[in-house]
Amino acid sequence: MTEALLAFWDGAFGSAFAFWSATLVRATPLLLVGVALALAFRAGVLNIGAEGQLVVGAVAAAVVALAGASLPSVLLIPAMVLAGALGGAVWAGIAAWLRQRYGVLEVISTIMLNFVAAALISWVVRGPLQEPTKVYPMSLTFAEAARWPFLLSGQRLHLGFLLGVLVAMLAWYVLTHAAAGFRVRAAGAGPRAAESAGGIGVRGLTSRVFVLSGAIAGVAGASEVGGVTWALYEGISPGYGYTGIAVALLARLDPRWVVVTAVFFGALEAGGASMQRIAGVPAVSVQIVTACTLLGVLALGRWQRTRRSAASA
């Protein structure tokens, strides 16, 4: 037990390299996905499809990285960000359209789209984007210009983390200080009241937030291929889209706290890998901790609501 805990600490916080290059690098996609889901949930949109939106964003960014290999970094990297955002937005837009046009529950449609996205990337890396030897299910390695810059010398923390922090702060500011953020919160808290008393077009608003949420999740995919793998692989995400749900809920849907919870889950991922490598403890134990944490947060929220109801009665 002691050996496992020491291995966990070493893998997550034991050195500068462990913190900057393992914990924070793993926290980066969780940060972007967590913000994306926090926004959607605040608007009352149950977007469970961040995994698929991340994957499609990664595919779109990889296409741009390979097609624009001759471009300078100053043009190619922003183009990858935009492509990732566009890919994720289109994928979320499908579920948003089904919700608005036919009343299809987004929980169902987004889960189904996650499977479609997994099939899509499997086909892409064995088909049109497969490396020239046709041996491995992956794309060609990106050119230097498509690799996102590191933030610290000698560390692997890349531009995606800074982008995630900026997106989180911008989302928090808009939610708490802008009229648009008030409308999002009102639509999520009480859609009928927001529409009848506030004159808010809830259906259109939630669709736009849905698409924006997908765009941010798509940027997470772009950051993975541009900042970590430098190529497109079938297993580009080990479930970041699903873990992001826990990240957002643990932060109580507050984008500022998403930064903290993403680092927490990034440490769990990094420490879990170290435990498996050094102490032989299966990394799946981290998923147990994640599940227990999420259940604890939900139970705490339920207890607080019950206590407030009892106090006001």
Side-chain angles (χ1 to χ4, degrees):
M1 184 67 177
T2 304
E3 183 185 6
L5 291 175
L6 287 174
F8 177 88
W9 178 261
D10 286 342
F13 303 107
S15 65
F17 187 83
F19 181 68
W20 295 107
S21 298
T23 294
L24 292 191
V25 168
R26 283 175 169 81
T28 297
L30 297 175
L31 169 56
L32 285 161
V33 169
V35 174
L37 295 181
L39 279 175
F41 294 165
R42 290 292 288 267
V45 176
L46 298 178
N47 178 13
I48 313 298
E51 180 75 8
Q53 293 145 21
L54 181 152
V55 166
V56 174
V59 172
V63 169
V64 169
L66 294 169
S70 59
L71 294 174
S73 294
V74 69
L75 295 177
L76 186 52
I77 292 174
M80 290 172 67
V81 174
L82 290 176
L86 182 61
V90 168
W91 212 246
I94 296 172
W97 179 75
L98 290 172
R99 180 181 192 253
Q100 184 152 351
R101 180 70 177 81
Y102 298 106
V104 177
L105 292 176
E106 65 270 25
V107 174
I108 303 298
S109 60
T110 50
I111 289 176
M112 294 298 105
L113 285 167
N114 286 345
F115 290 108
V116 177
L120 173 67
I121 193 172
S122 178
W123 169 72
V124 164
V125 297
R126 288 179 172 81
L129 291 189
Q130 190 173 19
E131 47 83 26
T133 66
K134 305 296 182 184
V135 173
Y136 303 103
M138 59 177 285
S139 73
L140 196 65
T141 302
F142 296 168
E144 287 286 341
R147 300 178 185 182
W148 292 19
F150 295 135
L151 299 180
L152 298 171
S153 177
Q155 306 292 345
R156 291 186 57 81
L157 184 64
H158 57 82
L159 177 65
F161 185 78
L162 177 62
L163 200 57
V165 173
L166 292 176
V167 170
M169 293 303 107
L170 179 62
W172 167 77
Y173 181 82
V174 171
L175 279 174
T176 55
H177 292 80
F182 172 77
R183 288 193 288 271
V184 169
R185 289 187 284 121
R192 290 184 180 177
E195 202 157 41
S196 59
I200 298 172
V202 172
R203 294 185 66 187
L205 175 66
T206 52
S207 293
R208 291 192 293 275
V209 174
F210 203 162
V211 171
L212 175 62
S213 171
I216 297 172
V219 173
S223 78
E224 279 302 284
V225 295
V228 180
T229 63
W230 300 333
L232 185 66
Y233 293 89
E234 186 172 4
I236 193 72
S237 169
Y240 290 134
Y242 299 111
T243 307
I245 296 173
V247 171
L249 292 178
L250 186 61
R252 311 297 292 268
L253 307 185
D254 186 330
R256 292 174 303 173
W257 285 103
V258 166
V259 179
V260 177
T261 56
V263 173
F264 171 70
F265 281 98
L268 286 179
E269 295 277 348
S274 178
M275 277 199 308
Q276 179 165 344
R277 188 173 58 255
I278 297 174
V281 177
V284 72
S285 59
V286 169
Q287 296 178 11
I288 298 174
V289 175
T290 301
C292 291
T293 303
L294 185 56
L295 289 173
V297 170
L298 293 175
L300 178 62
R302 177 70 177 175
W303 177 74
Q304 288 176 331
R305 286 194 297 274
T306 304
R307 192 179 179 188
R308 280 197 296 268
S309 299
S312 60

